[in-house]
């Protein structure tokens, strides 16, 4: 089961990263160019929200079926924090990705409450770009290439 969930999580991550980059760039362009907020902009923001939440659910399943999780019971938190690989997979990556999904969710929710285009794009630009920075900071790049 672990290898199947890992495969899905790994490949879905490419989609999440691509859509998050597109949404961040779209919101920044919309904000700085003062363009009108359209249905396409809404769909991009919504699709980003959906794919990131699906990735979070897949990641949570992966976390709890992971063989790495045994490190907590074998050596405790101290041993996990000493090993950079275990720390990345068991602490840093999950924490930063959860925070990124929280930023995406908050940004999407706040942008819906705004009535004009510029504040909508501003909320999306701030929160989606922060989420992108968090995601990029803790992707296990060595496993990607």
């Amino acid at each position: 089961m672990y290898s199947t969930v890992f495969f899905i999580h790994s490949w879905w991550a490419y989609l999440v990263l691509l859509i998050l980059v597109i949404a961040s760039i779209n919101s920044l362009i919309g904000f700085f160019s003062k363009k009108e907020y359209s249905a396409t902009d809404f769909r991009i923001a919504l699709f980003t929200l959906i794919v990131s939440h699906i990735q979070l659910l897949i990641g949570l399943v992966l976390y709890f079926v992971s063989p790495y999780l045994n490190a907590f019971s074998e050596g405790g938190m101290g041993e996990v924090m000493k090993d950079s690989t275990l720390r990345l997979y068991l602490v840093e990556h999950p924490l930063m990705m959860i925070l990124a999904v929280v930023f995406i969710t908050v940004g999407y929710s706040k942008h819906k409450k705004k009535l004009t285009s510029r504040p909508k794009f501003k909320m999306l630009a701030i929160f989606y770009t922060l989420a992108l920075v968090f995601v990029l900071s803790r992707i296990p790049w060595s496993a990607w290439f």
Side-chain angles (χ1 to χ4, degrees):
M1 178 172 176
Y2 172 76
S3 59
T4 304
V5 177
F6 180 77
F7 177 80
I8 294 168
H9 183 72
S10 297
W11 283 98
W12 195 262
Y14 290 109
L15 177 65
V16 171
L17 186 59
L18 175 69
I19 297 302
L20 186 55
V21 167
I22 290 170
S24 296
I25 291 171
N26 182 60
S27 61
L28 288 167
I29 289 171
F31 178 71
F32 289 115
S33 69
K34 299 177 184 173
K35 76 174 195 169
E36 282 299 309
Y37 189 79
S38 68
T40 303
D41 300 315
F42 178 78
R43 287 185 189 109
I44 291 171
L46 179 61
F47 193 61
T48 304
L49 179 79
I50 292 168
V51 298
S52 65
H53 278 85
I54 291 171
Q55 179 71 342
L56 175 64
L57 293 174
I58 297 167
L60 288 173
V61 170
L62 180 64
Y63 188 81
F64 289 109
V65 299
S66 172
Y68 290 123
L69 199 57
N70 293 334
F72 280 123
S73 60
E74 291 171 3
M77 188 62 146
E79 291 301 314
V80 169
M81 295 306 279
K82 287 178 188 173
D83 185 345
S84 62
T85 303
L86 287 176
R87 186 177 61 240
L88 174 66
Y89 285 115
L90 293 176
V91 180
E92 294 171 356
H93 178 76
L95 177 66
M96 296 302 273
M97 298 308 148
I98 289 169
L99 288 174
V101 172
V102 167
F103 280 131
I104 291 168
T105 306
V106 168
Y108 182 81
S109 298
K110 285 184 158 290
H111 109 279
K112 286 191 337 182
K113 295 177 184 174
K114 302 299 179 188
L115 301 175
T116 58
S117 295
R118 191 152 166 86
K120 283 181 177 285
F121 280 122
K122 181 180 180 182
M123 286 297 107
L124 290 174
I126 291 169
F127 286 98
Y128 279 29
T129 305
L130 277 172
L132 179 61
V133 169
F134 275 46
V135 167
L136 291 174
S137 74
R138 285 298 163 242
I139 288 176
W141 292 106
S142 61
W144 272 43
F145 300 107

